[in-house]
């Protein structure tokens, strides 16, 4: 998977970020780390059919066009457009089987697809202006603003489609790619009028089939975590189970799993025990119902050292780590997690234990995680896990260092070797961590 942004927030030049199973985002405050996470969440939500994309959805609130488009200063001013690009590999065997099923030659098919989406200013809001999909010599181009156009490409020719009212989007706050499906409806109507041949229609629908097939390579779910999770409570009442960035859903989720899904509860409880014991935070967590009804109140009980305590009576490290551990464990495989400052209220041992837990759960469930952090303990434990061959290989880990220079931010991709040694780090990387440590100790520069 590769993701790039251009003229978005503090990012001017487009840089393809090679996304790995574990991606650590580091850099000074206001260096664009949260903005990049917001872009990833928006882009994945937009590409999926079942999720509403928004530039202002908890925990990322980006504002209007003037707050989102890059400002270059001087005579350049605000960028007239900004763009996102997503690319991913597809199983070549799947492509060959699909092409054979549709009586097509697979020789022109590439092993990866890309989707680029551009935005312009429409009544102070970002509006989709252009969508481009490419897979080898096949593709779709949609121009949605000014003079709307729709073109389908094959290796041998280009087919311009009729543009109906579907492409004339009136609401700039509606972000979806349904216009592609509307085009096919209009194409059928045009075929009946004799404007398109059967070969034209077959080519267009084959390209559309490739587009739909490419979406199978997308992550299954996207979770975004706020930097500060919800406070613990002495007693909980049934509520919403939909993921909330502050983790407010977790107590009810745990009670529901405990009550109705024995297999999943065993998995979640085991994950909590593993992390709790490795971190020294707790031995076990259980759900205590205060009534015989499913809709009655309940409590979360933390067991440690042979004693049981209400979650509100133990350190904040338990309640702050609980949403992260629970969601990582219960989520469908191949999900994406955007986690901000997981080390909040965790002592160094717990931060390191969290890194080891992340490496194991990502490997077992094939998740992709982005972690915005200031924790050297977390990063160093991941490097040691690479060195020791514990659930993570060198190619599984990427450190993304965000470096600001005036109005622009550069993202440096840093890797590690087989021994966990840092490779490709710019000079400012270690300087950043040393200065952060000095600040945390109250030592002036």
């Amino acid at each position: 998977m590769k993701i790039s942004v251009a003229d978005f927030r503090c990012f001017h030049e487009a840089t393809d970020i090679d996304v790995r199973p574990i991606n650590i985002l580091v850099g000074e405050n206001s260096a664009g780390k949260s903005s990049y996470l917001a872009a990833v969440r928006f882009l994945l939500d937009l590409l999926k059919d079942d999720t509403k994309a928004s530039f202002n959805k908890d925990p990322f609130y980006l504002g209007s066009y003037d707050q989102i488009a890059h400002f270059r200063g001087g005579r350049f001013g605000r960028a007239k457009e900004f763009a996102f690009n997503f690319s991913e590999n597809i199983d070549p065997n799947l492509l060959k089987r699909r092409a054979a099923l549709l009586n097509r030659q697979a020789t022109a098919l590439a092993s990866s697809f890309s989707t680029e989406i551009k935005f312009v200013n429409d009544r102070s809001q970002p509006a989709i202006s252009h969508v481009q999909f490419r897979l080898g010599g096949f593709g779709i181009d949609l121009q949605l603003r000014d003079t709307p156009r729709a073109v389908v490409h094959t290796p041998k020719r280009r087919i311009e489609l009729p543009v109906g009212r579907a492409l004339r989007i009136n609401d700039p706050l509606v972000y979806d790619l349904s216009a592609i499906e509307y085009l096919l409806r209009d194409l059928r109507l045009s075929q009946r009028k004799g404007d398109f041949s059967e070969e034209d229609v077959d080519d267009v629908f084959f390209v559309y089939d490739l587009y739909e097939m490419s979406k199978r390579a997308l992550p299954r779910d996207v979770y975004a975590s706020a930097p500060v999770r919800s406070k613990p409570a002495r007693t909980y009442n049934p509520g919403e189970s939909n993921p909330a960035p502050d983790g407010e859903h977790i107590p009810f989720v745990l009670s529901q799993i405990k009550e109705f899904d024995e297999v999943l509860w065993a998995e979640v409880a085991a994950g909590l025990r593993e992390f709790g014991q490795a971190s020294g935070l707790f031995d076990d967590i259980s759900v205590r119902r205060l009534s015989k009804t499913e809709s009655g109140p309940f409590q979360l009980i933390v067991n440690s050292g042979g004693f049981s305590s209400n979650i509100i009576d133990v350190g904040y490290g338990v309640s702050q780590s609980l949403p992260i551990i629970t969601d990582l464990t219960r989520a469908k495989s191949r999900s994406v997690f955007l986690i901000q400052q997981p080390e909040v209220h965790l002592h160094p041992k717990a931060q390191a234990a969290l890194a080891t837990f992340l490496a194991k759960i990502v490997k077992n469930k094939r998740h992709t995680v982005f972690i915005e952090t200031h924790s050297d303990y977390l990063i160093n434990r991941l490097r040691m896990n690479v060195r020791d061959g514990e659930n993570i290989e060198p190619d599984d880990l990427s450190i993304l260092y965000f470096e600001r220079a005036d109005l622009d931010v550069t993202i440096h991709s840093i890797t590690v070797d087989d021994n966990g040694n840092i490779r490709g780090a710019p000079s400012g990387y270690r300087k950043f961590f040393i200065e952060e440590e000095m600040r945390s100790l109250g030592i002036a520069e």
Side-chain angles (χ1 to χ4, degrees), residues 384-405:
M384 286 187 279
N385 287 342
V386 169
R387 179 197 64 194
D388 300 336
E390 294 184 12
N391 297 307
I392 182 171
E393 302 292 332
D395 289 344
D396 295 333
L397 177 62
S398 173
I399 301 172
L400 303 176
Y401 176 56
F402 290 65
E403 187 172 40
R404 177 178 285 279

Side-chain angles (χ1 to χ4, degrees), residues 232-236 250-255 265 285-289 298-303 309-314 318-319 322:
R234 188 165 300 280
T235 302
Y236 297 94
I250 288 300
F252 181 56
V253 164
L254 288 173
S255 71
W265 173 253
I285 290 181
S286 58
V287 178
R288 176 189 292 166
R289 290 202 170 274
F298 62 92
Q299 296 177 329
L300 292 184
I301 304 301
V302 179
N303 306 298
S309 305
N310 191 292
I311 193 171
I312 203 172
D313 296 321
V314 299
V318 177
S319 60
L322 189 61

Side-chain angles (χ1 to χ4, degrees), residues 13-70:
E13 297 287 345
T15 302
D16 275 340
I17 300 301
D18 189 4
V19 176
R20 300 191 177 190
I22 299 179
N23 307 273
I24 307 295
L25 282 63
V26 298
E28 297 179 357
N29 292 332
S30 300
K33 301 184 296 297
S34 295
S35 293
Y36 184 77
L37 292 179
V40 172
R41 203 270 293 275
F42 179 91
L43 181 56
L44 293 178
D45 282 352
L46 180 61
L47 294 174
K48 290 168 62 68
D49 293 329
D50 57 351
T51 307
K52 183 178 180 180
S54 173
F55 286 107
N56 294 284
K57 185 166 76 170
D58 199 15
F60 306 115
Y61 294 93
L62 302 184
S64 61
Y65 185 88
D66 281 348
Q67 286 81 53
I68 297 174
H70 180 66

Side-chain angles (χ1 to χ4, degrees), residues 4-7 12-16:
S4 71
V5 299
D7 282 324
H12 172 46
E13 297 287 345
T15 302
D16 275 340

